[in-house]
Amino acid sequence: MHGHSGIDRVLLTSDQILSRVGAMAADIVHDYEGEDGLIIVPILTGAMVFTCDLIRRMPVPMKIGLLTVSSYPGTATTSQGVKFVEDQIEKLKERVVGRPVLLVDDILDSGNTLRAVTAELKELGAKSVKTCVLLRKENRPEAADVVGDYVGFDIPDAFVVGYGLDYNDMYRNLPDIVVLKDETFS
Ligand code: IMP
Ligand code: MG
């Protein structure tokens, strides 16, 4: 399938994803109507593909502020703590100070990433911070305080890849979101 090995099954097809992304974009545009100076902050690298599709469906003035965060280095499939790239923070501060910020990520799992990045953006002086995730894992009691303002799909608690999401930095270019076979994690 797709020329990639190790895939167990497709969870969300490209068509399902894009149709939902269109609806999310419309909701966001509606909610930010009348707000000037929207800044979109995608959390790299995972949110790259989702953000490209989302912003092309949002016909409003905006700027982008890049932020790289890693919490799953290499083959880890549980969060190892949130790390920022320090050099990006000064630049991001100039961009977000006094502005409404929409944080975009691929998936909300433990909530550690969105919790830490939301706090950092408020610290940098953002006027407001909302969060937008394509996927949210079900049954995550530790993420109860981090729900996501815009959520694409609630999915079962499995490790998924594709559409920007990776395992060991692979599979990001799959157009669908898929579940990997157990033997892929070794
Ligand atoms: P959290 O900090 O535990 O909420 O995890 C969020 C980050 O972990 C996301 O930005 C993803 O990059 C990564 N992540 C969480 N679950 C998965 C998964 O199932 N597949 C790939 N990456 C994941
Ligand atoms: Mg990520």
Side-chain angles (χ1 to χ4, degrees), residues 43 46 71-72 79 82 105-114 137 158-161 165-166:
I43 301 180
S71 52
Y72 285 34
S79 183
V82 178
D105 206 1
D106 48 5
I107 188 165
L108 173 53
D109 185 5
S110 72
N112 290 337
T113 304
L114 285 188
K137 287 193 190 171
F159 196 79
V160 294
V161 298
L165 293 115
D166 75 301

Side-chain angles (χ1 to χ4, degrees), residues 18-121:
L18 291 176
S19 131
R20 182 72 188 117
V21 170
M24 295 174 82
D27 286 348
I28 295 166
V29 167
H30 175 264
D31 291 353
Y32 279 92
E33 207 185 319
E35 275 254 48
D36 285 331
L38 177 61
I39 308 294
I40 304 283
V41 175
I43 301 180
L44 300 180
T45 308
M48 188 180 81
V49 178
F50 173 39
T51 304
C52 289
D53 284 332
L54 185 73
I55 63 176
R56 284 180 296 171
R57 288 163 175 77
M58 294 175 57
V60 294
M62 64 170 66
K63 288 184 179 178
I64 295 175
L66 296 180
L67 180 63
T68 306
V69 172
S70 77
S71 52
Y72 285 34
T75 57
T77 57
T78 56
S79 183
Q80 307 291 304
V82 178
K83 288 193 188 65
F84 294 105
V85 175
E86 283 304 323
D87 291 353
Q88 278 180 342
I89 299 292
E90 263 321 288
K91 222 173 154 189
L92 191 65
K93 183 184 170 99
E94 289 167 25
R95 180 126 294 189
V96 305
V97 68
R99 305 278 186 200
V101 173
L102 181 66
L103 202 51
V104 181
D105 206 1
D106 48 5
I107 188 165
L108 173 53
D109 185 5
S110 72
N112 290 337
T113 304
L114 285 188
R115 191 186 297 109
V117 178
T118 301
E120 182 71 21
L121 287 165

Side-chain angles (χ1 to χ4, degrees), residues 4-6 72-78 159-162 164-172 174 178 180-186:
H4 279 82
S5 60
Y72 285 34
T75 57
T77 57
T78 56
F159 196 79
V160 294
V161 298
L165 293 115
D166 75 301
Y167 173 65
N168 201 16
D169 255 321
M170 295 293 288
Y171 303 100
R172 294 194 197 274
L174 288 178
V178 306
L180 292 180
K181 289 179 184 154
D182 282 341
E183 59 261 35
T184 312
F185 308 103
S186 52

